Structures are given as C-alpha cells and as structure tokens.
Coordinates of all heavy atoms in Angstrom, one line a residue:
M1098 N 11.0 -3.5 6.8 CA 11.0 -2.2 6.3 C 10.7 -1.2 7.4 O 9.7 -1.4 8.1 CB 10.0 -2.1 5.1 CG 9.8 -0.7 4.6 SD 8.5 -0.8 3.3 CE 8.8 0.8 2.6
V1099 N 11.4 -0.2 7.5 CA 11.1 0.9 8.5 C 10.1 1.8 7.8 O 10.3 2.2 6.6 CB 12.3 1.7 8.9 CG1 12.0 2.9 9.7 CG2 13.3 0.8 9.6
D1100 N 9.0 2.1 8.4 CA 8.0 3.0 7.8 C 7.7 4.2 8.7 O 7.0 4.2 9.6 CB 6.7 2.2 7.7 CG 5.6 3.0 7.0 OD1 5.8 4.1 6.5 OD2 4.4 2.5 7.0
P1101 N 8.4 5.3 8.4 CA 8.3 6.5 9.2 C 6.9 7.2 9.1 O 6.6 8.0 9.9 CB 9.4 7.5 8.6 CG 9.6 7.0 7.3 CD 9.4 5.5 7.3
G1102 N 6.1 6.7 8.2 CA 4.7 7.3 8.0 C 3.7 6.6 8.8 O 2.5 7.0 8.8
V1103 N 4.0 5.5 9.5 CA 3.0 4.8 10.3 C 2.4 5.7 11.4 O 3.1 6.5 12.0 CB 3.6 3.4 10.9 CG1 4.5 3.7 12.0 CG2 2.5 2.5 11.3
G1104 N 1.1 5.6 11.6 CA 0.5 6.4 12.6 C 0.1 7.8 12.1 O -0.5 8.5 12.8
T1105 N 0.4 8.1 10.8 CA 0.0 9.4 10.2 C -1.3 9.2 9.4 O -1.8 8.1 9.4 CB 1.1 9.9 9.3 OG1 1.2 9.1 8.2 CG2 2.4 10.0 10.0
E1106 N -1.7 10.2 8.7 CA -2.9 10.1 7.9 C -2.6 9.4 6.5 O -3.5 9.3 5.7 CB -3.5 11.5 7.7 CG -4.0 12.2 8.9 CD -5.1 11.4 9.5 OE1 -6.1 11.0 8.8 OE2 -5.1 11.1 10.7
R1107 N -1.4 9.0 6.3 CA -1.0 8.4 5.1 C -1.9 7.1 4.8 O -2.1 6.3 5.8 CB 0.5 8.0 5.1 CG 1.0 7.5 3.8 CD 1.6 6.0 3.8 NE 1.2 5.2 4.9 CZ 2.0 4.8 5.8 NH1 3.3 5.1 5.9 NH2 1.6 4.0 6.8
A1108 N -2.4 6.9 3.6 CA -3.3 5.8 3.3 C -2.5 4.5 3.2 O -1.3 4.4 3.0 CB -3.9 6.1 1.9
L1109 N -3.3 3.4 3.4 CA -2.8 2.1 3.1 C -3.6 1.6 1.9 O -4.8 1.9 1.7 CB -3.1 1.2 4.3 CG -2.3 1.6 5.6 CD1 -2.8 0.7 6.8 CD2 -0.8 1.4 5.4
L1110 N -2.9 0.8 1.1 CA -3.4 0.4 -0.2 C -3.4 -1.1 -0.5 O -2.5 -1.8 0.0 CB -2.6 1.1 -1.3 CG -2.5 2.6 -1.3 CD1 -1.5 3.0 -2.4 CD2 -3.8 3.3 -1.4
Y1111 N -4.4 -1.6 -1.2 CA -4.3 -2.9 -1.9 C -4.0 -2.6 -3.3 O -4.6 -1.7 -3.9 CB -5.7 -3.6 -1.8 CG -5.8 -4.8 -2.7 CD1 -5.4 -6.0 -2.3 CD2 -6.3 -4.6 -4.0 CE1 -5.5 -7.1 -3.1 CE2 -6.4 -5.7 -4.8 CZ -6.0 -6.9 -4.4 OH -6.1 -8.0 -5.3
V1112 N -3.0 -3.3 -3.9 CA -2.6 -3.0 -5.2 C -2.5 -4.3 -6.0 O -1.9 -5.3 -5.5 CB -1.2 -2.3 -5.2 CG1 -0.7 -2.1 -6.7 CG2 -1.2 -1.0 -4.5
E1113 N -3.0 -4.3 -7.2 CA -2.7 -5.4 -8.2 C -1.9 -4.8 -9.3 O -2.4 -3.9 -10.0 CB -4.0 -6.0 -8.7 CG -4.8 -6.8 -7.7 CD -6.1 -7.4 -8.3 OE1 -6.2 -7.5 -9.5 OE2 -7.0 -7.7 -7.5
V1114 N -0.7 -5.3 -9.5 CA 0.2 -4.8 -10.5 C 1.1 -5.9 -11.0 O 1.6 -6.7 -10.2 CB 1.1 -3.6 -9.9 CG1 1.9 -4.0 -8.7 CG2 1.9 -3.0 -11.0
Q1115 N 1.3 -6.0 -12.3 CA 2.1 -7.0 -12.9 C 1.8 -8.4 -12.4 O 2.8 -9.2 -12.1 CB 3.6 -6.7 -12.7 CG 4.0 -5.4 -13.3 CD 4.0 -5.4 -14.9 OE1 4.2 -6.5 -15.5 NE2 3.9 -4.3 -15.5
G1116 N 0.6 -8.8 -12.2 CA 0.2 -10.1 -11.7 C 0.4 -10.3 -10.2 O 0.3 -11.4 -9.7
Q1117 N 0.8 -9.3 -9.5 CA 1.0 -9.4 -8.1 C -0.1 -8.7 -7.3 O -0.6 -7.7 -7.7 CB 2.4 -8.8 -7.7 CG 3.6 -9.3 -8.5 CD 3.8 -10.8 -8.1 OE1 3.8 -11.2 -7.0 NE2 3.9 -11.6 -9.2
R1118 N -0.3 -9.2 -6.1 CA -1.3 -8.5 -5.2 C -0.5 -8.1 -3.9 O 0.2 -8.9 -3.3 CB -2.4 -9.5 -4.8 CG -3.2 -9.9 -6.0 CD -4.2 -11.0 -5.8 NE -4.6 -11.3 -4.4 CZ -5.8 -11.7 -4.0 NH1 -6.7 -11.9 -4.9 NH2 -6.0 -12.0 -2.7
L1119 N -0.6 -6.8 -3.6 CA 0.2 -6.2 -2.5 C -0.6 -5.5 -1.6 O -1.6 -4.8 -2.0 CB 1.3 -5.3 -3.1 CG 2.1 -5.8 -4.3 CD1 2.9 -4.6 -4.9 CD2 3.1 -6.8 -3.8
L1120 N -0.3 -5.4 -0.3 CA -0.8 -4.5 0.7 C 0.4 -3.6 1.1 O 1.4 -4.1 1.6 CB -1.4 -5.3 1.9 CG -2.6 -6.1 1.6 CD1 -2.9 -7.1 2.7 CD2 -3.8 -5.3 1.2
V1121 N 0.2 -2.3 0.9 CA 1.4 -1.4 1.1 C 0.9 -0.1 1.6 O -0.2 0.3 1.4 CB 2.1 -1.2 -0.3 CG1 2.7 -2.5 -0.8 CG2 1.1 -0.6 -1.3
P1122 N 1.8 0.6 2.3 CA 1.5 2.0 2.6 C 1.6 2.9 1.3 O 2.3 2.5 0.4 CB 2.7 2.4 3.6 CG 3.8 1.5 3.3 CD 3.1 0.2 2.8
D1123 N 0.9 4.0 1.3 CA 1.0 4.9 0.1 C 2.2 5.8 0.2 O 2.1 7.0 0.5 CB -0.3 5.7 0.0 CG -0.4 6.5 -1.2 OD1 0.4 6.2 -2.2 OD2 -1.3 7.4 -1.3
N1124 N 3.3 5.1 0.0 CA 4.6 5.9 0.1 C 5.4 5.7 -1.2 O 6.6 6.1 -1.2 CB 5.4 5.5 1.3 CG 5.8 4.0 1.3 OD1 5.6 3.3 0.3 ND2 6.4 3.5 2.4
G1125 N 4.8 5.1 -2.2 CA 5.5 4.9 -3.5 C 6.4 3.7 -3.6 O 6.9 3.4 -4.6
C1126 N 6.4 2.9 -2.5 CA 7.3 1.7 -2.5 C 7.1 0.7 -3.6 O 8.0 0.0 -4.0 CB 7.3 1.0 -1.1 SG 5.7 0.3 -0.7
W1127 N 5.9 0.6 -4.1 CA 5.5 -0.4 -5.1 C 5.5 0.2 -6.6 O 5.4 -0.6 -7.5 CB 4.1 -0.9 -4.8 CG 3.0 0.1 -4.9 CD1 2.6 1.0 -3.9 CD2 2.3 0.5 -6.1 NE1 1.7 1.9 -4.4 CE2 1.4 1.5 -5.7 CE3 2.2 0.0 -7.4 CZ2 0.5 2.1 -6.6 CZ3 1.3 0.6 -8.2 CH2 0.5 1.6 -7.8
T1128 N 5.6 1.5 -6.7 CA 5.4 2.1 -8.0 C 6.4 1.8 -9.1 O 6.2 2.0 -10.3 CB 5.1 3.6 -7.9 OG1 6.3 4.2 -7.3 CG2 3.9 3.9 -7.1
T1129 N 7.6 1.3 -8.7 CA 8.6 0.9 -9.7 C 8.1 -0.4 -10.4 O 8.7 -0.7 -11.5 CB 9.9 0.6 -9.1 OG1 9.8 -0.4 -8.1 CG2 10.5 1.9 -8.4
L1130 N 7.1 -1.1 -10.0 CA 6.5 -2.2 -10.6 C 5.6 -1.9 -11.7 O 5.2 -2.8 -12.5 CB 5.8 -3.1 -9.6 CG 6.7 -3.6 -8.4 CD1 5.8 -4.4 -7.4 CD2 7.8 -4.5 -8.9
I1131 N 5.1 -0.7 -11.8 CA 4.1 -0.3 -12.9 C 4.7 -0.5 -14.2 O 5.8 0.0 -14.6 CB 3.7 1.1 -12.7 CG1 3.0 1.3 -11.4 CG2 2.7 1.5 -13.8 CD1 2.6 2.7 -11.0
G1132 N 4.1 -1.3 -15.1 CA 4.5 -1.5 -16.4 C 3.5 -1.0 -17.4 O 2.9 0.1 -17.2
D1133 N 3.2 -1.7 -18.5 CA 2.3 -1.2 -19.5 C 0.8 -1.3 -19.1 O 0.0 -0.5 -19.5 CB 2.5 -2.1 -20.8 CG 3.9 -1.8 -21.4 OD1 4.4 -0.8 -21.2 OD2 4.3 -2.8 -22.1
D1134 N 0.5 -2.3 -18.3 CA -0.9 -2.4 -17.8 C -1.1 -1.6 -16.6 O -0.3 -1.6 -15.6 CB -1.2 -3.9 -17.5 CG -1.1 -4.8 -18.7 OD1 -1.5 -4.3 -19.8 OD2 -0.8 -5.9 -18.5
P1135 N -2.2 -0.8 -16.5 CA -2.4 0.1 -15.3 C -2.7 -0.8 -14.1 O -3.4 -1.8 -14.2 CB -3.6 0.9 -15.7 CG -4.3 0.2 -16.8 CD -3.2 -0.6 -17.5
P1136 N -2.2 -0.4 -13.0 CA -2.5 -1.2 -11.8 C -3.9 -0.9 -11.3 O -4.5 0.1 -11.6 CB -1.5 -0.6 -10.7 CG -1.3 0.8 -11.2 CD -1.4 0.8 -12.7
T1137 N -4.4 -1.8 -10.5 CA -5.7 -1.6 -9.7 C -5.2 -1.2 -8.3 O -4.5 -1.9 -7.7 CB -6.5 -2.9 -9.7 OG1 -6.9 -3.3 -11.0 CG2 -7.8 -2.7 -8.8
V1138 N -5.7 -0.1 -7.8 CA -5.3 0.4 -6.5 C -6.6 0.7 -5.7 O -7.4 1.5 -6.2 CB -4.4 1.7 -6.7 CG1 -4.0 2.1 -5.3 CG2 -3.2 1.4 -7.6
I1139 N -6.7 0.2 -4.5 CA -7.8 0.4 -3.7 C -7.3 0.9 -2.3 O -6.4 0.3 -1.7 CB -8.6 -1.0 -3.5 CG1 -9.1 -1.4 -4.8 CG2 -9.7 -0.8 -2.4 CD1 -9.7 -2.8 -4.8
R1140 N -7.9 2.0 -1.9 CA -7.6 2.5 -0.6 C -8.3 1.7 0.5 O -9.5 1.5 0.5 CB -7.9 4.0 -0.5 CG -7.5 4.6 0.8 CD -7.8 6.1 0.8 NE -7.4 6.6 2.1 CZ -7.0 7.8 2.3 NH1 -7.0 8.7 1.4 NH2 -6.6 8.2 3.5
L1141 N -7.5 1.2 1.5 CA -8.1 0.4 2.6 C -8.9 1.4 3.5 O -8.3 2.1 4.3 CB -7.1 -0.3 3.3 CG -6.2 -1.3 2.5 CD1 -5.2 -2.0 3.4 CD2 -7.0 -2.3 1.8
T1142 N -10.2 1.3 3.4 CA -11.0 2.2 4.3 C -12.1 1.4 5.1 O -12.6 1.9 6.1 CB -11.8 3.3 3.5 OG1 -12.6 2.6 2.5 CG2 -10.8 4.2 2.8
E1143 N -12.4 0.2 4.7 CA -13.4 -0.6 5.4 C -12.8 -1.2 6.7 O -12.2 -2.3 6.6 CB -14.0 -1.7 4.5 CG -14.8 -1.1 3.4 CD -16.1 -0.5 3.9 OE1 -16.6 -0.9 5.0 OE2 -16.5 0.6 3.3
Q1144 N -13.1 -0.6 7.8 CA -12.6 -1.0 9.1 C -13.1 -2.3 9.6 O -12.5 -2.9 10.5 CB -12.8 0.1 10.1 CG -12.1 1.4 9.8 CD -12.3 2.5 10.8 OE1 -12.8 2.2 11.9 NE2 -12.0 3.7 10.4
R1145 N -14.1 -2.8 9.0 CA -14.6 -4.2 9.4 C -13.6 -5.3 9.1 O -13.7 -6.3 9.7 CB -16.0 -4.5 8.7 CG -15.9 -4.5 7.2 CD -17.2 -4.7 6.6 NE -17.2 -4.3 5.2 CZ -17.9 -4.8 4.3 NH1 -18.9 -5.7 4.6 NH2 -17.8 -4.5 3.0
Y1146 N -12.6 -5.0 8.3 CA -11.6 -6.0 7.9 C -10.3 -5.8 8.8 O -9.3 -6.4 8.6 CB -11.2 -5.9 6.4 CG -12.4 -6.3 5.6 CD1 -13.0 -5.3 4.8 CD2 -12.9 -7.6 5.6 CE1 -14.1 -5.7 4.0 CE2 -14.0 -7.9 4.8 CZ -14.6 -7.0 4.0 OH -15.7 -7.3 3.3
W1147 N -10.3 -4.8 9.7 CA -9.2 -4.5 10.5 C -9.4 -5.1 11.9 O -10.5 -5.5 12.3 CB -9.0 -3.0 10.7 CG -8.9 -2.2 9.4 CD1 -8.9 -2.7 8.1 CD2 -8.8 -0.8 9.3 NE1 -8.8 -1.7 7.2 CE2 -8.8 -0.5 7.9 CE3 -8.8 0.2 10.2 CZ2 -8.7 0.8 7.4 CZ3 -8.8 1.5 9.7 CH2 -8.7 1.8 8.3
R1148 N -8.4 -5.0 12.7 CA -8.5 -5.3 14.2 C -9.4 -4.2 14.8 O -9.4 -3.1 14.3 CB -7.2 -5.3 14.9 CG -6.4 -6.6 14.6 CD -5.0 -6.5 15.3 NE -5.2 -6.1 16.7 CZ -4.7 -6.7 17.7 NH1 -4.0 -7.8 17.6 NH2 -4.8 -6.2 18.9
P1149 N -10.1 -4.6 15.8 CA -11.0 -3.6 16.5 C -10.2 -2.4 17.1 O -10.7 -1.3 17.1 CB -11.7 -4.4 17.6 CG -11.4 -5.8 17.4 CD -10.3 -5.9 16.4
S1150 N -9.0 -2.7 17.6 CA -8.2 -1.6 18.2 C -7.0 -1.4 17.3 O -6.2 -2.3 17.0 CB -7.8 -2.0 19.6 OG -6.9 -1.1 20.1
I1151 N -6.8 -0.1 16.9 CA -5.7 0.2 16.0 C -4.6 1.0 16.8 O -4.9 2.1 17.3 CB -6.1 1.0 14.8 CG1 -7.3 0.3 14.1 CG2 -5.0 1.4 13.9 CD1 -6.9 -1.0 13.5
S1152 N -3.4 0.4 16.8 CA -2.3 1.1 17.4 C -1.7 2.2 16.5 O -1.8 2.1 15.3 CB -1.2 0.1 17.7 OG 0.1 0.7 18.0
A1153 N -1.1 3.2 17.1 CA -0.5 4.3 16.2 C 0.8 3.8 15.6 O 1.3 4.5 14.7 CB -0.3 5.5 17.1
T1154 N 1.3 2.7 16.0 CA 2.6 2.3 15.5 C 2.7 0.9 14.9 O 3.7 0.4 14.5 CB 3.7 2.3 16.6 OG1 3.3 1.5 17.7 CG2 3.9 3.8 17.1
F1155 N 1.6 0.2 14.9 CA 1.6 -1.2 14.4 C 0.5 -1.5 13.3 O -0.3 -2.4 13.4 CB 1.4 -2.2 15.5 CG 2.6 -2.3 16.4 CD1 2.6 -1.7 17.7 CD2 3.8 -2.9 16.0 CE1 3.7 -1.7 18.5 CE2 4.9 -2.9 16.8 CZ 4.8 -2.4 18.1
H1156 N 0.5 -0.6 12.3 CA -0.5 -0.8 11.2 C -0.3 -2.1 10.5 O -1.3 -2.7 10.0 CB -0.5 0.4 10.3 CG -1.1 1.6 10.9 ND1 -1.0 2.8 10.2 CD2 -1.7 1.8 12.0 CE1 -1.6 3.8 11.0 NE2 -2.0 3.2 12.1
G1157 N 0.9 -2.6 10.4 CA 1.1 -3.9 9.7 C 0.3 -5.0 10.5 O -0.3 -5.9 9.9
R1158 N 0.4 -5.0 11.8 CA -0.3 -6.0 12.6 C -1.8 -5.7 12.7 O -2.6 -6.6 12.6 CB 0.3 -5.9 14.0 CG -0.4 -6.9 15.0 CD -0.2 -6.6 16.4 NE -0.7 -5.3 16.8 CZ -0.4 -4.6 17.9 NH1 0.5 -5.1 18.7 NH2 -1.0 -3.5 18.2
D1159 N -2.2 -4.4 12.8 CA -3.6 -4.1 13.1 C -4.5 -3.9 11.9 O -5.7 -4.0 12.0 CB -3.6 -2.8 14.0 CG -3.0 -3.0 15.3 OD1 -2.8 -4.2 15.7 OD2 -2.6 -2.0 16.0
I1160 N -3.9 -3.6 10.7 CA -4.7 -3.4 9.5 C -4.2 -4.3 8.4 O -5.0 -5.1 7.9 CB -4.5 -1.9 9.1 CG1 -5.1 -1.0 10.2 CG2 -5.3 -1.7 7.8 CD1 -4.8 0.5 9.9
L1161 N -3.0 -4.3 8.0 CA -2.5 -5.0 6.9 C -2.6 -6.6 7.1 O -3.1 -7.3 6.2 CB -1.1 -4.7 6.5 CG -0.9 -3.2 6.1 CD1 0.6 -2.9 5.8 CD2 -1.8 -2.8 4.9
A1162 N -2.2 -7.1 8.2 CA -2.3 -8.5 8.4 C -3.7 -9.0 8.5 O -4.0 -10.0 7.8 CB -1.5 -8.9 9.7
P1163 N -4.6 -8.4 9.2 CA -6.0 -8.8 9.1 C -6.6 -8.7 7.7 O -7.4 -9.7 7.3 CB -6.8 -7.9 10.1 CG -5.7 -7.4 11.0 CD -4.5 -7.3 10.2
V1164 N -6.3 -7.7 7.0 CA -6.8 -7.6 5.6 C -6.3 -8.7 4.8 O -7.0 -9.4 4.0 CB -6.5 -6.2 5.0 CG1 -6.7 -6.2 3.5 CG2 -7.3 -5.1 5.6
A1165 N -5.0 -9.1 4.9 CA -4.4 -10.2 4.2 C -5.1 -11.5 4.5 O -5.4 -12.3 3.6 CB -2.9 -10.3 4.5
G1166 N -5.5 -11.7 5.8 CA -6.2 -12.9 6.2 C -7.6 -12.9 5.5 O -8.0 -14.0 5.0
H1167 N -8.3 -11.8 5.5 CA -9.6 -11.8 4.8 C -9.5 -12.1 3.3 O -10.3 -12.8 2.8 CB -10.3 -10.4 5.1 CG -10.8 -10.3 6.4 ND1 -11.9 -11.0 6.9 CD2 -10.4 -9.5 7.5 CE1 -12.1 -10.6 8.2 NE2 -11.2 -9.7 8.5
L1168 N -8.4 -11.5 2.7 CA -8.2 -11.8 1.3 C -7.9 -13.3 1.1 O -8.5 -13.9 0.1 CB -7.1 -10.9 0.7 CG -7.4 -9.4 0.6 CD1 -6.1 -8.7 0.4 CD2 -8.4 -9.2 -0.5
A1169 N -7.1 -13.9 1.9 CA -6.8 -15.3 1.8 C -8.1 -16.1 2.0 O -8.1 -17.2 1.4 CB -5.7 -15.7 2.8
N1170 N -9.0 -15.6 2.7 CA -10.3 -16.4 2.9 C -11.3 -16.1 1.9 O -12.5 -16.4 2.0 CB -10.8 -16.1 4.3 CG -10.1 -16.9 5.4 OD1 -9.7 -18.0 5.2 ND2 -9.9 -16.2 6.5
G1171 N -10.9 -15.3 0.8 CA -11.8 -15.1 -0.3 C -12.6 -13.8 -0.4 O -13.4 -13.6 -1.3
V1172 N -12.3 -12.9 0.5 CA -12.9 -11.5 0.4 C -12.6 -10.9 -0.9 O -11.4 -10.9 -1.3 CB -12.5 -10.7 1.6 CG1 -12.9 -9.2 1.4 CG2 -13.2 -11.2 2.9
D1173 N -13.5 -10.3 -1.6 CA -13.3 -9.6 -2.8 C -12.6 -8.3 -2.5 O -13.0 -7.5 -1.7 CB -14.7 -9.3 -3.4 CG -14.6 -8.6 -4.8 OD1 -13.5 -8.0 -5.1 OD2 -15.6 -8.6 -5.5
P1174 N -11.4 -8.0 -3.1 CA -10.7 -6.8 -2.8 C -11.5 -5.5 -3.0 O -11.3 -4.5 -2.3 CB -9.5 -6.8 -3.8 CG -9.4 -8.3 -4.2 CD -10.7 -8.9 -4.1
R1175 N -12.5 -5.6 -3.9 CA -13.3 -4.3 -4.1 C -14.1 -4.0 -2.9 O -14.6 -2.9 -2.8 CB -14.2 -4.5 -5.3 CG -13.4 -4.6 -6.6 CD -14.2 -5.0 -7.8 NE -14.6 -6.4 -7.6 CZ -15.3 -7.1 -8.4 NH1 -15.7 -6.7 -9.6 NH2 -15.6 -8.4 -8.1
S1176 N -14.3 -4.9 -1.9 CA -15.0 -4.6 -0.7 C -14.1 -3.9 0.3 O -14.6 -3.5 1.4 CB -15.6 -5.8 -0.1 OG -14.6 -6.7 0.4
L1177 N -12.8 -3.7 0.1 CA -11.9 -3.1 1.0 C -12.0 -1.6 1.1 O -11.5 -1.0 2.0 CB -10.5 -3.6 0.7 CG -10.2 -5.1 0.7 CD1 -8.8 -5.4 0.3 CD2 -10.5 -5.6 2.1
G1178 N -12.5 -1.0 0.0 CA -12.5 0.5 0.0 C -12.7 0.9 -1.5 O -12.8 0.1 -2.4
P1179 N -12.5 2.2 -1.7 CA -12.7 2.7 -3.1 C -11.5 2.6 -3.9 O -10.3 2.6 -3.4 CB -13.0 4.2 -2.8 CG -12.2 4.5 -1.5 CD -12.4 3.3 -0.7
V1180 N -11.7 2.4 -5.2 CA -10.6 2.4 -6.2 C -10.1 3.8 -6.3 O -10.9 4.8 -6.3 CB -11.1 1.9 -7.6 CG1 -10.0 2.1 -8.6 CG2 -11.5 0.4 -7.5
V1181 N -8.8 4.0 -6.3 CA -8.2 5.3 -6.4 C -7.3 5.4 -7.6 O -6.8 4.3 -8.1 CB -7.4 5.7 -5.1 CG1 -8.3 5.9 -3.9 CG2 -6.3 4.7 -4.8
H1182 N -7.1 6.6 -8.1 CA -6.3 6.7 -9.3 C -5.1 7.6 -9.1 O -4.4 8.0 -10.1 CB -7.2 7.3 -10.5 CG -8.3 6.4 -10.8 ND1 -8.2 5.2 -11.5 CD2 -9.6 6.4 -10.4 CE1 -9.4 4.6 -11.6 NE2 -10.3 5.3 -10.9
E1183 N -4.9 8.1 -7.9 CA -3.7 8.9 -7.5 C -3.1 8.3 -6.3 O -3.8 7.9 -5.4 CB -4.2 10.3 -7.3 CG -4.6 11.0 -8.6 CD -4.9 12.5 -8.4 OE1 -4.4 13.1 -7.4 OE2 -5.6 13.1 -9.2
W1184 N -1.8 8.2 -6.3 CA -1.0 7.7 -5.2 C 0.4 8.3 -5.2 O 0.7 8.9 -6.2 CB -1.0 6.2 -5.2 CG -0.6 5.7 -6.6 CD1 0.7 5.6 -7.1 CD2 -1.5 5.2 -7.6 NE1 0.6 5.1 -8.4 CE2 -0.7 4.9 -8.8 CE3 -2.9 5.1 -7.7 CZ2 -1.2 4.4 -9.9 CZ3 -3.4 4.6 -8.9 CH2 -2.6 4.3 -10.0
V1185 N 1.1 8.1 -4.2 CA 2.5 8.6 -4.1 C 3.3 7.8 -5.1 O 3.2 6.6 -5.1 CB 3.0 8.5 -2.7 CG1 4.5 8.9 -2.6 CG2 2.2 9.4 -1.7
R1186 N 4.1 8.4 -5.8 CA 5.0 7.7 -6.8 C 6.5 7.8 -6.3 O 6.9 8.9 -5.8 CB 4.9 8.3 -8.2 CG 3.5 8.1 -8.7 CD 3.4 8.6 -10.2 NE 2.1 8.5 -10.6 CZ 1.5 7.5 -11.1 NH1 2.1 6.4 -11.2 NH2 0.2 7.5 -11.5
W1187 N 7.2 6.7 -6.4 CA 8.6 6.7 -6.0 C 9.4 7.6 -6.9 O 9.2 7.5 -8.2 CB 9.1 5.3 -6.1 CG 10.6 5.1 -5.9 CD1 11.5 5.0 -6.8 CD2 11.2 5.2 -4.6 NE1 12.8 4.9 -6.2 CE2 12.6 5.0 -4.8 CE3 10.7 5.3 -3.3 CZ2 13.5 5.0 -3.8 CZ3 11.7 5.3 -2.3 CH2 13.0 5.2 -2.5
K1188 N 10.2 8.4 -6.4 CA 11.1 9.3 -7.1 C 12.5 8.7 -7.1 O 13.1 8.7 -6.0 CB 11.0 10.7 -6.6 CG 9.7 11.4 -6.7 CD 9.7 12.8 -6.2 CE 8.4 13.4 -6.4 NZ 7.5 13.4 -5.3
E1189 N 12.9 8.1 -8.2 CA 14.2 7.5 -8.2 C 15.2 8.6 -8.1 O 15.3 9.5 -8.9 CB 14.3 6.8 -9.6 CG 15.6 5.9 -9.7 CD 15.5 4.7 -8.9 OE1 14.5 4.1 -8.7 OE2 16.6 4.3 -8.4
P1190 N 16.1 8.4 -7.1 CA 17.2 9.4 -7.0 C 18.1 9.4 -8.2 O 18.4 8.4 -8.7 CB 17.9 9.1 -5.7 CG 17.4 7.7 -5.3 CD 16.2 7.4 -6.1
A1191 N 18.5 10.6 -8.6 CA 19.4 10.7 -9.8 C 20.8 10.4 -9.3 O 21.2 10.8 -8.2 CB 19.4 12.1 -10.4
P1192 N 21.6 9.7 -10.0 CA 23.0 9.4 -9.6 C 23.8 10.7 -9.6 O 23.5 11.6 -10.4 CB 23.5 8.5 -10.7 CG 22.6 8.5 -11.8 CD 21.3 9.1 -11.3
V1193 N 24.7 10.8 -8.7 CA 25.6 12.0 -8.6 C 27.0 11.5 -8.8 O 27.5 10.6 -8.2 CB 25.4 12.6 -7.2 CG1 26.4 13.8 -7.1 CG2 24.0 13.0 -7.0
L1194 N 27.7 12.2 -9.8 CA 29.1 11.9 -10.1 C 29.9 12.8 -9.2 O 29.8 14.0 -9.3 CB 29.4 12.1 -11.5 CG 30.8 11.8 -12.0 CD1 31.1 10.3 -11.7 CD2 30.9 12.1 -13.5
A1195 N 30.7 12.2 -8.3 CA 31.5 12.9 -7.4 C 33.0 12.5 -7.6 O 33.3 11.4 -7.9 CB 31.1 12.7 -6.0
P1196 N 33.9 13.5 -7.5 CA 35.3 13.1 -7.6 C 35.7 12.2 -6.5 O 35.2 12.2 -5.4 CB 36.0 14.5 -7.5 CG 35.0 15.4 -6.8 CD 33.7 14.9 -7.1
R1197 N 36.7 11.3 -6.8 CA 37.3 10.4 -5.8 C 38.1 11.2 -4.8 O 38.8 12.2 -5.2 CB 38.1 9.4 -6.5 CG 37.4 8.4 -7.2 CD 38.4 7.4 -7.8 NE 37.6 6.3 -8.4 CZ 38.0 5.0 -8.4 NH1 39.1 4.7 -7.8 NH2 37.3 4.1 -9.0
N1198 N 38.2 10.7 -3.7 CA 39.0 11.4 -2.6 C 40.3 10.7 -2.6 O 40.6 9.7 -2.8 CB 38.4 11.3 -1.3 CG 37.1 12.2 -1.2 OD1 37.1 13.2 -1.9 ND2 36.2 11.8 -0.3

C-alpha cells in the first residue's frame, strides 16, 4: 500500500474490529470493516514500543513492525497509548454514470 501520509503528523492506530486486530495509519483504510459492534481504537503514542530512531518515510518498519512484535509477545494493547473515539473515516466514492464513447 502506498501511504502518502507517512512522515506527517497523521496518527498510527491499533484497532480491534470484527474480531480482527490491525495496526494502521489513521487514513480511514479500515473503517469499512465497522459493523454493529463498536471498534476499539488506540492511538500509538508509547514510543518505548517503537524503534529508537524513526525515519520520516518508514513508519511501517520503525513503528508498526516493532509494535506488532510487542503485541505478539503479549504486550497489552492498552499500554500502547490512549483509546480514541474519533478517527478518519473512509468516504466511499459515489459511482458516476457516464455516457459511452
């Protein structure tokens, strides 16, 4: 996935939704999964779970991968940062009916 927001102030999130656990940028990419049960969303702010040096272009390597490793080793997701209740939502583009050429 190309992520044009990497290196910006855009948040990174831990999400539990529909029985899935995800680490994602706060760009709405996961919000189509929201069903009847509200998701648990945590903003990744605890830098102790990241690499010591953070590149402006490799947040997947420097933040998300180390956090995934800590989670796999049993770290409680609630220790990753605060629970949040607002995030970017995916805006499904509306279909456009165009005449055939």
Side-chain angles (χ1 to χ4, degrees):
M1098 172 184 197
V1099 175
D1100 182 6
V1103 72
T1105 67
E1106 294 298 315
R1107 189 242 15 250
L1109 296 172
L1110 306 172
Y1111 166 88
V1112 177
E1113 289 183 17
V1114 61
Q1115 298 290 336
Q1117 304 297 311
R1118 295 171 18 148
L1119 310 168
L1120 293 170
V1121 294
D1123 188 12
N1124 64 7
C1126 65
W1127 64 274
T1128 58
T1129 60
L1130 300 175
I1131 298 174
D1133 295 332
D1134 296 327
T1137 298
V1138 183
I1139 297 170
R1140 183 176 179 152
L1141 303 180
T1142 59
E1143 287 297 324
Q1144 295 182 14
R1145 62 187 162 150
Y1146 297 113
W1147 306 355
R1148 283 179 46 127
S1150 175
I1151 305 299
S1152 164
T1154 57
F1155 292 105
H1156 288 173
R1158 177 197 66 193
D1159 297 342
I1160 300 173
L1161 298 178
V1164 168
H1167 286 290
L1168 290 168
N1170 283 323
V1172 166
D1173 184 339
R1175 293 172 291 187
S1176 68
L1177 301 174
V1180 172
V1181 294
H1182 301 284
E1183 293 188 18
W1184 48 80
V1185 174
R1186 296 185 188 276
W1187 176 257
K1188 294 182 178 96
E1189 187 71 33
V1193 177
L1194 183 59
R1197 288 184 175 214
N1198 290 333

